[in-house]
Amino acid sequence: MQEVTYTPLTPIPATIKKIITETPDTKTFYFEIEKKLPEKPKPGQFTEICIPGVGEAPVSICECGDGKTIGQTIRSVGVLTEYLFKLKEGDKVGIRGPYGKGWPMERLEGKDVLIVAGGIGLAPLRGVIMEIKKNREKYGKLTLLYGSRTPDLLLYRYEFESYQAIPNTEFLVTVDRGDEKWKGNVGVVTTLIPKARIDPEKTIALVCGPEIMMRFTVKALQEAGFKDNQIYLSLERRMKCGVGLCGHCQVGPYFVCRHGPVFPYWLIKRYFWVDQI
Ligand SMILES: Cc1cc2nc3c(=O)[nH]c(=O)nc-3n(C[C@H](O)[C@H](O)[C@H](O)COP(=O)(O)OP(=O)(O)OC[C@H]3O[C@@H](n4cnc5c(N)ncnc54)[C@H](O)[C@@H]3O)c2cc1C
Ligand code: FES
């Protein structure tokens, strides 16, 4: 049989090992990759999930593992994701990547870390929480602010206690609309910023969520005293190649797939009109 020559664009076969239902339209898939990915994934990077005859979609890595098994949290919204949701443990897909620049983990060392996540935006940030938990001494205070529209849309609820238990961590959750069981905060995620004990002087903020949420969050962080070079955002754009060849994901002079998806705010603020909200 002919040997496959793997390039960074070759999908590697991967088996679905475990599926966790997170919310009515979102599941976390754990993929065991047949051949280790070309590099160990970093928090904030993404892969292209490929299903022959169906299509491809970029998806963030929520659990980096060792490059052999990775976790990805996926909302069913269209062609590829709807097909994926019909697959079962043991079925195969193709995975290419990891692609893009992740969160600035080295810059976070010795600093307090503020994570602001909206909805499925917690998925690309979960790897940062895991890394801080694993190497707790390398980082200062962790503040985790998480919001979703309703309580049933919160991801990883089964892990919330373990987030609370990370030493020197403040974890606040809010929902836009509560239900009869919800006893927590109600309001958009930016309402948590004044409630948290944050020292902007020594903190780096990592933000991911719907674009409108990120715009309001940047504004609230600026009002709280954060400078533009202390804020990082993960952007989402429609992609094709994932590696900076096709131009589909262009934002100004940057390709989200190759120069991002994580950008320091100062670099992309010309293309991200916070002033207009
Ligand atoms: C870096 C990155 C990371 C991501 N991480 C995640 C993640 O962790 N989890 C996750 O669930 N999703 C993630 N996404 C989003 C995901 O890639 C998209 O939702 C993708 O479109 C899903 O593929 P699909 O084939 O299922 O949906 P599609 O069939 O592509 O449809 C998705 C939606 O887009 C609309 N649409 C289709 N084509 C176009 C078009 N040409 N222009 C505008 N709208 C169109 C459809 O009507 C539908 O509403 C990420 C995207 C990026 C860029
Ligand atoms: S998806 Fe092709 S350049 Fe980014």
Side-chain angles (χ1 to χ4, degrees):
M1 206 169 53
Q2 202 185 343
E3 249 320 90
V4 179
T5 309
Y6 285 97
T7 74
L9 284 167
T10 316
I12 303 176
T15 306
I16 301 172
K17 290 310 271 187
K18 190 165 85 167
I19 303 174
I20 299 175
T21 299
E22 301 281 352
T23 75
D25 64 1
T26 305
K27 294 180 183 182
T28 298
F29 292 78
Y30 286 87
F31 298 108
E32 189 178 80
I33 297 152
E34 216 161 77
K35 176 184 163 302
K36 250 191 181 186
L37 291 174
E39 57 181 90
K40 187 176 174 314
K42 297 194 243 341
Q45 286 190 301
F46 68 96
T47 72
E48 287 279 346
I49 299 183
C50 321
I51 302 183
V54 179
E56 297 189 314
V59 177
S60 303
I61 298 166
C62 73
E63 185 153 331
C64 298
D66 56 1
K68 184 87 177 120
T69 304
I70 57 169
Q72 303 194 271
T73 298
I74 300 165
R75 183 157 60 208
S76 176
V77 292
V79 178
L80 180 115
T81 47
E82 278 171 17
Y83 190 94
L84 188 65
F85 270 45
K86 293 188 194 128
L87 300 184
K88 298 179 294 303
E89 288 167 2
D91 287 336
K92 284 190 191 292
V93 300
I95 299 235
R96 57 185 180 91
Y99 296 139
K101 289 193 172 44
W103 300 103
M105 296 312 296
E106 280 168 20
R107 190 165 176 221
L108 301 185
E109 289 184 20
K111 297 277 196 319
D112 287 1
V113 181
L114 168 64
I115 288 177
V116 188
I120 198 166
L122 185 57
L125 284 157
R126 184 173 174 272
V128 178
I129 303 170
M130 296 296 122
E131 163 60 25
I132 293 178
K133 187 176 171 192
K134 196 163 137 209
N135 292 299
R136 191 67 196 93
E137 70 295 341
K138 281 197 193 171
Y139 309 93
K141 182 184 178 225
L142 170 64
T143 306
L144 173 53
L145 309 181
Y146 179 38
S148 73
R149 273 179 285 139
T150 52
D152 65 330
L153 295 180
L154 290 166
L155 299 184
Y156 316 131
R157 282 182 81 156
Y158 48 89
E159 303 191 322
F160 281 7
E161 272 183 35
S162 72
Y163 299 170
Q164 297 275 16
I166 302 172
N168 195 14
T169 294
E170 185 177 12
F171 175 34
L172 301 177
V173 181
T174 186
V175 293
D176 296 356
R177 291 182 308 283
D179 57 20
E180 59 291 346
K181 285 200 233 128
W182 182 254
K183 304 263 184 300
N185 294 298
V186 176
V188 292
V189 72
T190 45
T191 60
L192 297 177
I193 293 173
K195 291 186 184 167
R197 295 183 309 279
I198 303 163
D199 180 354
E201 287 282 302
K202 52 178 186 171
T203 304
I204 304 288
L206 312 179
V207 185
C208 187
E211 200 136 319
I212 187 73
M213 167 265 174
M214 293 203 283
R215 287 175 198 221
F216 278 102
T217 302
V218 168
K219 206 168 186 193
L221 291 175
Q222 289 171 329
E223 283 162 10
F226 281 79
K227 299 191 187 76
D228 293 350
N229 68 358
Q230 291 173 274
I231 303 171
Y232 289 80
L233 310 174
S234 183
L235 297 194
E236 209 179 287
R237 287 292 180 276
R238 294 199 71 79
M239 290 184 182
K240 289 277 183 213
C241 69
V243 292
L245 294 174
C246 71
H248 261 79
C249 63
Q250 200 156 356
V251 172
Y254 305 111
F255 291 157
V256 172
C257 63
R258 199 175 67 183
H259 304 112
V262 174
F263 288 93
Y265 177 62
W266 65 264
L267 192 68
I268 40 125
K269 66 179 188 178
R270 278 183 59 195
Y271 315 101
F272 200 80
W273 304 276
V274 171
D275 296 344
Q276 289 176 19
I277 53 175

